[in-house]
Amino acid sequence: MNHTTTDNSRMKLVFATHNPNKFKEIESLLPDHIELLSLTDIDCKEDIPETGDTIDENAMIKADYVKNHYGYDCFADDTGLEVNSLAGAPGVFSARYAGDEKNDEKNVEKLLSQLEKRDDRTARFRTVIALNLKGHENLFTGICEGTILKERKGNKGFGYDPIFLPNGFDKSFAEMDLREKTKISHRGIAFKALIEYLSQ
């Protein structure tokens, strides 16, 4: 994707992700005066350390890292799946629940086996977006309540989407198209708040 532009009125903003699915999801929502760049676009190849104890801290660490090392205004998101009967786990460890290789399949497998003998399968997705804009820091949060299914359904989305059934729906996140999911998802809610702020 070519992000060079001759229009100096557009604001360059980095979304601290290498994930093309997430990037595409957000790029489509942003106002025209913002030119969105990914970590790949700014040639950031290192794995930004996520050493925070909470989702909020991890999001802020990533946004600050890009600002401090690359000089760009930046926002970063961190998302956790919080399962009530597992005392909020996997939570901050959602991406690496089954190990440091961050394997979606293994994470889903582990969660399903942890819940096998539990009746309470209620859970929520929580996304926190940290924005470091001109040295000012802001946090935006989105929550989507739901239930963990007993088996995978659908092949869209990523992460835990195939086993997460949002409240009031009969389709998993992985059975929804992007537009439908974005309307109700934790990430969609958090990004709406971010976009309202950036549009002011």
Side-chain angles (χ1 to χ4, degrees):
M1 195 181 295
N2 184 3
H3 284 282
T4 55
T5 180
T6 53
D7 182 357
N8 294 326
S9 65
R10 294 184 83 201
M11 178 171 91
K12 280 187 165 69
L13 189 60
V14 172
F15 178 15
T17 186
H18 286 294
N19 184 321
N21 294 315
K22 271 162 67 168
F23 186 86
K24 214 171 9 185
E25 205 171 301
I26 300 322
E27 192 181 33
S28 66
L29 301 172
L30 283 174
D32 289 341
H33 72 276
I34 293 171
E35 180 189 356
L36 194 63
L37 305 170
S38 68
L39 292 177
T40 309
D41 293 323
I42 62 167
D43 209 27
C44 172
K45 296 187 176 78
E46 60 266 40
D47 225 359
I48 300 173
E50 295 179 31
T51 51
D53 294 326
T54 64
I55 292 167
D56 302 40
E57 283 175 27
N58 275 343
M60 199 46 94
I61 286 167
K62 288 186 278 191
D64 290 349
Y65 184 95
V66 170
K67 183 70 173 173
N68 295 336
H69 288 77
Y70 292 86
Y72 285 97
D73 290 328
C74 177
F75 65 86
D77 72 320
D78 201 40
T79 294
L81 176 63
E82 301 168 343
V83 180
N84 290 326
S85 65
L86 299 178
V92 74
F93 301 108
S94 294
R96 47 187 190 279
Y97 193 39
D100 283 338
E101 74 273 20
K102 298 184 176 179
N103 183 295
D104 286 352
E105 279 299 302
K106 287 180 180 170
N107 288 339
V108 167
E109 210 52 65
K110 179 175 177 180
L111 184 60
L112 288 175
S113 72
Q114 298 266 312
L115 288 176
E116 221 168 329
K117 295 186 171 68
R118 295 177 194 264
D119 294 329
D120 181 6
R121 301 178 77 89
T122 55
R124 77 197 49 78
F125 265 123
R126 181 193 304 275
T127 288
V128 174
I129 298 166
L131 172 68
N132 186 327
L133 183 65
K134 298 178 176 37
H136 296 289
E137 296 178 340
N138 283 286
L139 290 176
F140 307 89
T141 302
I143 291 170
C144 182
E145 301 280 350
T147 308
I148 304 300
L149 295 165
K150 293 189 173 174
E151 55 189 38
R152 295 172 180 80
K153 286 187 175 174
N155 52 15
K156 298 177 184 135
F158 53 93
Y160 298 94
D161 285 358
I163 57 167
F164 186 80
L165 182 73
N167 285 351
F169 290 82
D170 56 4
K171 288 196 280 196
S172 77
F173 269 166
E175 292 176 296
M176 296 180 176
D177 64 40
L178 195 52
R179 189 174 296 177
E180 194 178 3
K181 179 189 166 190
T182 303
K183 267 186 195 159
I184 60 157
S185 78
H186 47 294
R187 190 175 287 111
I189 293 163
F191 273 103
K192 263 182 217 129
L194 169 72
I195 286 155
E196 269 170 35
Y197 180 82
L198 290 173
S199 301
Q200 285 166 11

